[in-house]
Amino acid sequence: MEEPGFDADLPARVEGALAAFLGRAGEQIVRTEPSVAAGIEALSGFVLGGGKRIRPTFAWWGWRGAGGAATGPEAEGALQVVSSLELIQACALIHDDLIDSSDSRRGNPTVHVASAKLHADRGWLGSPAAFGLATAVLVGDLALAWADDMFADAPLPAGTLAAARPAWRAMRTEVLAGQYLDVRTQAVGDASPEAALRIDRLKTAAYTVQRPLHLGAALAGADEELIGTLLQFGGDVGVAFQLRDDLLGVFGDPSVTGKPAGDDLREGKRTLLVALGLQLAKERGEDAAAQVIAEAIGAANLSDAAVDTVREALTAVGAVDAIERRITELTSSAMAALERAHLAEPAPAALTELTELATQRTY
C-alpha cells in the first residue's frame, strides 16, 4: 500500500518536527549552564503550546504545488524547512506581546508576564517587570537564531536550500520592517487607510502567506513565473487574513480568540477597520461616532462597555461592511490567481480550503 505522506496530517507532522528540533537544540548549552533551561523551556512551551501553523501549511502547499514530494527523504527535509517558520513566528509574537504590553496569548500569560511572575515568586533581586522584559527579548532572539539553525540543518542538498534562501531572507527582513512600520505609525498617529494597508501588506501578507508560499515553491524548483503568480495569490490572501484579524480584534469572542476583546483598540493599533471608521464617520458628518472611535485608540483602560460602544459606531458608519466587502474582493482576486498558477494536485484544493479558513475564521 502506498504511504499516505504528510498531506493528511500536516499540523501533527509540523508539531513533531518542532518538538524534535527543540528537544536537541538546547542540549549542549543546558549541560554547560543548567540555569538557562528555564528560558529554553519558556520558548519550547510557547512554540508547542498552540498556534494555527498557518505559515508552515502555506509553505508546504507551495512545495507540493510546485511538484514537491508528499513523502520520502526530500519531503522530510522540506518539512523541517517549513516547520522552522514557526520559530520566526514565535520570535515575532513574543516581541509583539512585549511591544503591545499584552497580558495573554492563546489564553495563557505572555512570556514577559510569566517571567515577571517567576521573578516575583522566587523573591529575586531587582524589578520583576524588568526581568520579564529582558527574558522575553532574549527568548524571542533565541527563537530567531534557532529558526536559522533549523532551516540550515534541514537534510536537503545545498543547492535546494540555496534556491529557497532568497525567500527566507526577504521574509525575515519584511516581518521586522513591518513591525517597525506598525510601531512608527502608532507613534506618529497616522490613521489613514493607506498607512494601514502598507502595514497589512508588509507585516502580514508578505510574512504569513507570500513568502511561505515562495519558500516552499523555491524548494521544489519553481520558476519565476510560478513564484510571481503565487506572490499575487499570497498578497491578496494575506491582506484578507489581516482584515479578518482586525475584525476579530474588536468583535471576536475572547473565549475563542484567547485575547481580551478590544485589545487592538487598547494597544492603539491603526488598523484599516479603525481608519475606515474614522474616515467614513467624518465623511457622513457623524462627529459623535468619530469621537468615540478616536478616543478608544490607545486607551489602555478601555472598558468592555466602551468597546461595545466602539463596535456600534464602527458598524453604524459602515466600516464593518466595508471591511467585509474588501475581504470578499481580495478572496475573489486570490482565487483567480490560484487558477492561473496551474499547481500540481492536490495543492489547488488545499490552498482553496486554506483561503477559506484564513478569511472566514472566528479565532
Side-chain angles (χ1 to χ4, degrees), residues 21 45 88 93 102 128 166 202 209 212 231 234 247 257 267 290 297 325 359:
F21 177 82
I88 295 183
L93 292 181
S102 298
L202 189 59
V209 187
L231 289 175
L247 286 170
T257 64
E267 294 163 7
I297 302 171
R325 285 195 300 272
T359 60

Side-chain angles (χ1 to χ4, degrees), residues 11-339:
R13 295 284 190 171
V14 169
E15 195 84 3
L18 287 166
F21 177 82
L22 290 167
R24 63 180 183 269
E27 288 179 347
Q28 183 174 342
I29 188 62
V30 169
R31 283 197 299 269
T32 303
E33 183 47 72
S35 64
V36 302
I40 292 173
E41 288 167 5
L43 175 57
S44 296
F46 186 90
V47 172
L48 301 176
K52 296 180 281 290
R53 311 307 186 203
I54 288 174
R55 291 155 192 85
T57 302
F58 273 114
W60 177 258
W61 288 111
W63 158 263
R64 294 283 286 120
T71 188
E74 287 191 349
E76 290 279 0
L79 178 70
Q80 179 165 322
V81 169
V82 305
S83 298
S84 67
L85 294 173
E86 283 297 298
L87 291 172
I88 295 183
Q89 172 71 345
C91 169
L93 292 181
I94 291 167
H95 286 172
D96 226 20
D97 287 340
L98 189 60
I99 291 167
D100 295 336
S101 300
S102 298
D103 292 332
S104 65
R105 167 73 64 180
R106 300 168 184 159
N108 297 310
T110 51
V111 170
H112 65 277
V113 169
S115 300
K117 184 178 185 301
L118 173 66
H119 183 288
D121 290 347
R122 299 286 174 87
W124 290 342
L125 301 177
S127 163
F131 178 80
L133 183 154
T135 300
V137 169
L138 294 169
V139 170
D141 288 350
L142 181 63
L144 186 59
W146 279 3
D148 278 342
D149 291 346
M150 191 174 184
F151 173 95
D153 291 347
L156 288 168
T160 301
L161 289 176
R165 198 160 280 119
W168 180 259
R169 288 173 175 157
M171 178 186 55
R172 291 180 307 168
T173 300
E174 286 161 354
V175 67
L176 295 173
Q179 284 186 302
Y180 175 76
L181 181 60
D182 193 3
V183 171
R184 186 181 187 280
T185 299
Q186 293 179 48
V188 302
D190 188 346
S192 67
E194 294 77 16
L197 275 172
R198 286 200 303 273
I199 295 169
D200 290 348
R201 291 201 174 278
L202 189 59
K203 183 179 178 181
T204 302
Y207 162 63
T208 302
V209 187
Q210 285 181 303
R211 294 304 180 188
L213 283 167
H214 181 184
L215 180 75
L219 282 173
D223 60 24
E224 291 299 320
E225 182 178 0
L226 176 54
I227 288 172
T229 305
L230 287 174
L231 289 175
Q232 292 172 24
F233 165 78
D236 289 340
V237 173
V239 173
F241 173 92
Q242 183 58 54
L243 297 184
R244 179 62 61 195
D245 205 55
D246 294 346
L247 286 170
L248 292 173
V250 178
F251 292 87
D253 181 348
S255 67
V256 178
T257 64
K259 295 194 73 174
D263 252 16
D264 281 0
L265 296 169
R266 298 183 185 94
E267 294 163 7
K269 290 189 179 297
R270 307 279 173 165
T271 65
L272 186 62
L273 173 66
V274 166
L276 287 177
L278 290 170
Q279 183 183 73
L280 291 169
K282 291 174 183 175
E283 289 175 356
R284 298 180 182 195
E286 299 282 353
D287 294 340
Q291 184 175 355
V292 164
I293 297 167
E295 290 180 351
I297 302 171
N301 297 319
L302 196 68
S303 67
D304 289 343
V307 172
D308 285 339
T309 304
V310 176
R311 289 170 172 164
E312 292 170 4
L314 290 169
T315 302
V317 301
V320 175
D321 286 343
I323 292 295
E324 289 287 5
R325 285 195 300 272
R326 189 77 64 100
I327 291 172
T328 299
E329 291 165 1
L330 287 165
T331 303
S332 296
S333 176
M335 296 312 298
L338 181 60
E339 187 173 347

